[in-house]
């Protein structure tokens, strides 16, 4: 399987087991707009208006809103319908902590179940792709997006190898901040607490990206060594490092 083919694994890891194509597109777009603040907290989400705006029928909109409600990104009440849930910095940190435990479990389970040669080759290719991006030495918003895409696929491949639908669904509900760039800049809840100088996109790969890529290599090595305990520990620490970094640079109010 090629690196590009990991998009399929990415979808498996982050979405429900089966979603109609139109609903999947609507869901992805709405989630992105919510987590980046394009649709602000407490905004009402009317199916009719969103359907017109996105040029789709109300059916995929309603299906997407139901999924977003299950994920905790939107709330539903009889009187107001669907509204965007207001997130706090504590909510973001809690979600990262929960995801760290769950992804650690997934890494451990994947090793205990055993990796096929094809899946392991694909994981190696993803680690190498991320390493190649970092080793070029240049950085920009576009390059950051490329790296985060590979990063997301790397995590998704491990989650898929765990073969646990309940675990996939649980992890999906912890993804309440952007996974396509630095949360310190792209997640409004976090960005509001981070000094402007720490939200700039540097010209070279930042330290936290280099560290994250190094951690991918260590996780891969543990999986190849069939050390499930070490793989789980490394994955948990890897995800928690994001929380540690964001906590260190955020101005607590």
């Amino acid at each position: 399987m090629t690196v590009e083919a990991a998009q399929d694994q990415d979808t498996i890891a982050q979405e429900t087991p089966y979603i109609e194509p139109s609903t999947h597109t609507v869901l992805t777009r709405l989630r992105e707009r919510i987590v980046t603040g394009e649709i602000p907290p407490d905004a009402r989400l009317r199916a009719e208006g969103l359907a017109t705006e996105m040029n789709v029928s109300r059916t995929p909109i309603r299906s997407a809103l139901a999924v977003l409600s299950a994920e905790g990104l939107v709330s539903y009440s009889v009187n107001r319908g669907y509204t965007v849930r207001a997130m706090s910095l504590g909510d973001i940190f809690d979600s990262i902590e929960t995801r760290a435990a769950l992804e650690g479990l997934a890494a451990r389970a994947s090793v205990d179940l055993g990796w096929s040669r094809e899946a392991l080759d694909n994981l190696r290719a993803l680690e190498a792709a991320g390493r190649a991006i970092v080793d070029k030495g240049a950085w920009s918003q576009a390059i950051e997006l490329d790296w985060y895409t590979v990063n997301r696929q790397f995590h998704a491949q491990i989650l898929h190898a765990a073969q646990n639908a309940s675990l996939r669904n649980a992890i999906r509900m912890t993804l309440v901040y952007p996974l396509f760039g630095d949360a310190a800049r792209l997640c409004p809840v976090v960005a509001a607490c981070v000094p402007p100088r720490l939200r700039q996109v540097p010209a070279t790969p930042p330290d936290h990206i280099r560290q994250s890529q190094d951690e991918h290599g260590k996780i891969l090595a543990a999986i190849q060594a069939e050390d499930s305990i070490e793989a789980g520990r490394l994955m948990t620490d890897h995800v928690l490092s994001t929380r540690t970094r964001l906590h260190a640079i955020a101005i607590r109010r």
Side-chain angles (χ1 to χ4, degrees):
M1 192 186 311
T2 64
V3 171
E4 289 75 15
Q7 292 286 357
D8 292 338
Q9 310 295 352
D10 194 22
T11 298
I12 290 171
Q14 297 186 51
E15 309 300 345
T16 50
Y18 177 77
I19 297 177
E20 292 288 345
S22 59
T23 299
H24 178 269
T25 301
V26 169
L27 173 62
T28 300
R29 178 62 181 136
L30 282 178
R31 185 189 291 114
E32 179 181 329
R33 293 175 67 187
I34 289 170
V35 299
T36 59
E38 182 181 335
I39 302 178
D42 298 320
R44 294 184 66 178
L45 300 169
R46 296 181 176 87
E48 295 79 3
L50 289 170
T52 300
E53 181 182 342
M54 302 181 76
N55 195 31
V56 295
S57 71
R58 283 176 290 182
T59 299
I61 295 290
R62 288 169 175 161
S63 297
L65 290 174
V67 173
L68 292 171
S69 179
E71 292 177 353
L73 287 177
V74 306
S75 301
Y76 178 79
S77 69
V78 175
N79 294 329
R80 298 196 65 197
Y82 290 102
T83 57
V84 176
R85 181 185 165 205
M87 291 282 179
S88 68
L89 194 60
D91 290 330
I92 301 297
F93 289 158
D94 287 346
S95 72
I96 296 173
E97 284 193 30
T98 303
R99 184 163 63 88
L102 294 173
E103 289 211 39
L105 176 60
R108 187 167 70 248
S110 75
V111 176
D112 287 339
L113 285 171
W115 282 70
S116 69
R117 178 175 298 179
E118 180 184 25
L120 190 55
D121 284 347
N122 188 57
L123 191 67
R124 292 191 189 100
L126 288 166
E127 194 279 332
R131 172 62 59 191
I133 292 172
V134 172
D135 286 348
K136 287 181 180 178
W139 202 252
S140 67
Q141 195 164 343
I143 295 173
E144 179 185 73
L145 176 59
D146 288 343
W147 185 87
Y148 271 94
T149 298
V150 174
N151 171 70
R152 190 171 64 248
Q153 293 169 352
F154 180 88
H155 284 255
Q157 179 68 50
I158 294 173
L159 181 54
H160 179 70
Q163 301 178 41
N164 188 321
S166 295
L167 194 55
R168 288 201 302 271
N169 289 333
I171 288 176
R172 180 168 54 84
M173 294 183 68
T174 69
L175 303 179
V176 296
Y177 70 95
L179 294 179
F180 41 84
D182 186 2
R185 187 180 77 259
L186 296 180
C187 182
V189 174
V190 180
C193 302
V194 175
R197 64 184 177 82
L198 298 178
R199 287 186 266 128
Q200 303 302 310
V201 180
T204 58
D207 290 342
H208 72 273
I209 293 293
R210 293 186 181 278
Q211 176 186 332
S212 185
Q213 187 60 53
D214 288 344
E215 290 167 357
H216 281 188
K218 293 176 181 178
I219 292 168
L220 172 62
I223 290 173
Q224 292 180 137
E226 300 183 354
D227 188 338
S228 64
I229 301 299
E230 181 69 356
R233 183 190 69 79
L234 288 170
M235 179 60 82
T236 297
D237 290 348
H238 172 60
V239 177
L240 282 177
S241 66
T242 297
R243 184 193 188 284
T244 300
R245 170 178 170 263
L246 294 179
H247 188 278
I249 65 177
I251 302 172
R252 304 306 300 271
R253 297 179 178 177

